[in-house]
Amino acid sequence: MSTLGDRLRRAQPVAEGLDGQAADDAPSVATEERPTLGKRAADVAVDEAPSAAKRLSMGAGQKDRLEDLKASVHQELLKQLGPQLYDANMDQEDLSGRVRQVLKDVLGSQEKPLSSGDRTQVTLEITDDILGYGPIEPFLRDPDVTEIMVNGPDSIFLEKGGKLTAVPVRFTDEAHLRRTIDKIVSRIGRRVDESSPMVDARLPDGSRVNGVIPPLALDGSILTIRKFSADPLTAKDLIRFGSLSERTADFLDACVRGRLNIVVSGSTGAGKTTTLNVLSSFIPSDERIVTIEDAAEIQLHQDHVVRLESRPANIEGKGAIDIRDLVKNSLRMRPDRIIVGEVRDASALDMLQAMNTGHDGSICTVHSNGPRDTLSRIETMVLMAGMDLPMRAIREQVASAVDLIVHQARFKDGSRHITHVTEVERMEGDVITLQDVFVYDHSAGFDANGRARGGLISTGLRPKFLEKMAHANVTVDPMLFAMDGR
């Protein structure tokens, strides 16, 4: 059967011949032939319309068939493999081989044979769903994706290069999304249900996971995954990205080896954990390091590292072990360094006590808008401990404990930069005095693509804690503080 395009192409020479007739024939052509051609094209379009609708119907039917097939194969896999799919001790290669064999047998037993393309598609999607995390599995494998945000089963956004973009993939339904969240949290012994609808977890590679389910999430379960690279970023990587200058990296290296107490501050997504990893990499390998986190994210390569992770309450609401409990316990573990992934509550008081009781060289992170706000937040979190301490006593503790604040910010272009390296000096009256050692130079503006052109520059001031560093046999080249260049 000829298509509409074929018929119109055959009709075209007729129309051209008619256009070339004598002028006295033109009225008859205009009144007789051309309406006939128009009618013929319309008739063909009407003839083709049912065919197009039929093709669309067939495509929808094929899609529904594939969805039904995926559901039945999924059920068969669950029936045959059962709890092996969620066994954290199961060897992944062995599990993958079993899943693929069962998948091959089930697909081979279908009454209606599948095309090669459909078989590949079904195999990939079911494998991702069973062995991985469903439709978001390809994005977890993509090294360019830094964050995955699932806002219900029908809405998935990614962060690439600091920019958010929506992607045209979806979960089958709310139950599919809930199964994925349960798979993630169950592997580290955590749970999420109506009685505990929020959960913090992590993937095996250390990527941070947050889940919120109904009734708190109104439009379906919410899943947020902040990915970590398989190879932790180093100081050289941050220098290459422009987040750090070489002189600042050398200075921070000396500060860590000189056993200064450092607070890394910044907003959500500013890169605090990455900077914490870089600072921790400067710790000598002959020291005992205790890390304390809500969800284990810090990636250290020293020989002597003890990792502690908090625990939420069980289904009866008992058994919770929080950051504060772990900080207290770490003091009995003979640490040379205590690293706290994030201080967000009364554990700030215990962290200050650790810094003030001989555990110099400790590092932690705090959410804040700047170096001065960092001190204010620490004071507020200490008050949350309910000790009724006078504000001056708290500030004296902070001024005595904290030596350096490294503040990081995320710019509008998506890039992340260390903007302040600030010394905490002493108390003057009731105020803690601060002194910037390195600050970000915003005067360079932006390039044609909207990327920030500035960088960290020295203020020319020499910090007063150089004497404390000298007691640890660490000296700093005075030229690091010279104001010329970056």
Side-chain angles (χ1 to χ4, degrees):
M1 179 179 176
S2 60
T3 64
L4 173 60
D6 294 336
R7 297 185 183 184
L8 289 178
R9 282 194 292 274
R10 287 200 297 270
Q12 187 65 26
V14 177
E16 292 174 354
L18 290 173
D19 289 340
Q21 288 183 352
D24 56 338
D25 293 335
S28 63
V29 172
T31 57
E32 297 175 10
E33 295 293 336
R34 295 198 176 181
T36 302
L37 288 172
K39 182 176 183 302
R40 185 181 304 160
D43 291 341
V44 172
V46 171
D47 290 341
E48 292 291 335
S51 178
K54 185 177 180 181
R55 285 195 298 271
L56 289 175
S57 176
M58 291 175 61
Q62 177 70 359
K63 182 177 180 181
D64 291 341
R65 183 194 169 212
L66 291 179
E67 290 296 330
D68 292 341
L69 176 62
K70 284 166 51 182
S72 64
V73 172
H74 196 165
Q75 290 297 327
E76 186 64 25
L77 282 168
L78 290 175
K79 183 190 302 183
Q80 294 195 28
L81 297 180
Q84 297 178 20
L85 297 174
Y86 302 97
D87 186 358
N89 298 320
M90 182 78 172
D91 182 72
Q92 285 301 306
E93 291 187 4
D94 187 21
L95 177 60
S96 176
R98 296 188 187 186
V99 168
R100 294 180 189 280
Q101 183 59 47
V102 173
L103 186 56
K104 180 180 178 181
D105 294 341
V106 174
L107 291 179
S109 64
Q110 293 297 310
E111 296 180 359
K112 295 182 180 180
L114 292 175
S115 68
S116 176
D118 289 343
R119 179 181 290 272
T120 301
Q121 177 186 346
V122 170
T123 301
L124 180 61
E125 291 182 4
I126 293 179
T127 302
D128 283 345
D129 199 26
I130 293 294
L131 298 177
Y133 303 106
I136 63 173
E137 181 66 24
F139 308 127
L140 291 170
R141 293 193 295 258
D142 186 348
D144 295 328
V145 174
T146 54
E147 195 139 6
I148 302 170
M149 291 146 280
V150 181
N151 308 324
D154 299 322
S155 177
I156 300 178
F157 285 80
L158 306 179
E159 182 190 66
K160 278 189 175 185
K163 301 294 183 180
L164 295 181
T165 56
V167 291
V169 298
R170 61 185 297 275
F171 286 85
T172 304
D173 50 27
E174 172 67 15
H176 186 195
L177 176 53
R178 285 287 296 274
R179 285 199 306 271
T180 302
I181 296 176
D182 288 337
K183 181 187 295 187
I184 293 173
V185 302
S186 63
R187 287 180 174 174
I188 62 168
R190 302 201 174 185
R191 63 185 178 86
V192 58
D193 50 39
E194 284 72 12
S195 63
S196 179
M198 295 188 298
V199 65
D200 285 316
R202 54 179 166 79
L203 297 179
D205 65 356
S207 296
R208 182 188 308 171
V209 178
N210 176 264
V212 184
I213 66 171
L216 299 188
L218 300 181
D219 300 320
S221 298
I222 300 170
L223 178 65
T224 309
I225 302 176
R226 180 169 300 164
K227 289 177 56 184
F228 288 166
S229 59
D231 297 322
L233 297 178
T234 64
K236 292 182 179 179
D237 293 322
L238 296 189
I239 293 171
R240 189 174 73 253
F241 297 153
S243 301
L244 193 61
S245 68
E246 289 191 24
R247 288 200 296 169
T248 308
D250 292 340
F251 175 68
L252 292 177
D253 184 358
C255 290
V256 173
R257 290 185 290 106
R259 304 188 65 83
L260 298 186
N261 294 319
I262 302 174
V263 174
V264 180
S265 62
S267 61
T268 299
K272 298 187 299 297
T273 304
T274 299
T275 300
L276 180 62
N277 272 323
V278 170
L279 293 178
S280 301
S281 69
F282 298 144
I283 298 175
S285 59
D286 60 348
E287 297 187 16
R288 176 176 169 88
I289 306 168
V290 178
T291 68
I292 301 171
E293 303 170 85
D294 270 332
E297 302 166 349
I298 301 174
Q299 300 167 297
L300 300 182
H301 295 288
Q302 284 86 346
D303 295 330
H304 201 163
V305 178
V306 178
R307 305 170 72 204
L308 302 178
E309 187 176 59
S310 64
R311 187 181 71 182
N314 59 20
I315 197 167
E316 290 85 17
K318 300 178 180 178
I321 305 294
D322 58 24
I323 294 291
R324 187 174 187 186
D325 297 325
L326 294 178
V327 171
K328 290 179 181 177
N329 188 77
S330 69
L331 301 179
R332 307 182 184 100
M333 299 174 67
R334 199 261 177 218
D336 289 312
R337 311 264 184 161
I338 300 174
I339 300 177
V340 180
E342 183 177 340
V343 176
R344 61 165 70 93
D345 51 25
S347 60
L349 176 60
D350 300 285
M351 190 68 200
L352 291 179
Q353 294 295 328
M355 291 177 173
N356 271 325
T357 53
H359 298 89
D360 291 334
S362 298
I363 310 173
C364 66
T365 71
V366 172
H367 279 88
S368 75
N369 294 325
R372 177 63 62 183
D373 288 337
T374 300
L375 299 182
S376 299
R377 278 221 67 209
I378 293 176
E379 292 171 10
T380 302
M381 291 187 290
V382 170
L383 291 173
M384 292 169 64
M387 303 295 290
D388 294 328
L389 297 172
M391 187 59 70
R392 181 175 178 84
I394 295 175
R395 289 178 178 171
E396 287 177 346
Q397 284 279 310
V398 173
S400 174
V402 181
D403 297 306
L404 188 69
I405 297 173
V406 179
H407 185 74
Q408 187 144 349
R410 177 176 176 177
F411 289 6
K412 183 67 176 177
D413 60 8
S415 60
R416 298 166 173 85
H417 299 268
I418 292 176
T419 58
H420 294 79
V421 178
T422 303
E423 177 189 14
V424 180
E425 290 192 302
R426 61 187 179 278
M427 290 284 292
E428 289 189 0
D430 290 333
V431 179
I432 302 175
T433 59
L434 301 178
Q435 174 177 281
D436 291 331
V437 181
F438 294 92
V439 296
Y440 188 87
D441 177 21
H442 291 276
S443 63
F446 302 87
D447 61 17
N449 297 320
R451 305 285 293 183
R453 300 172 60 182
L456 278 171
I457 60 174
S458 172
T459 61
L461 302 174
R462 297 185 60 182
K464 296 178 176 58
F465 52 59
L466 292 180
E467 182 178 350
K468 178 179 179 180
M469 294 171 61
H471 295 160
N473 196 27
V474 176
T475 58
V476 178
D477 184 357
M479 292 305 297
L480 285 178
F481 310 109
M483 295 186 63
D484 54 327
R486 288 182 185 169

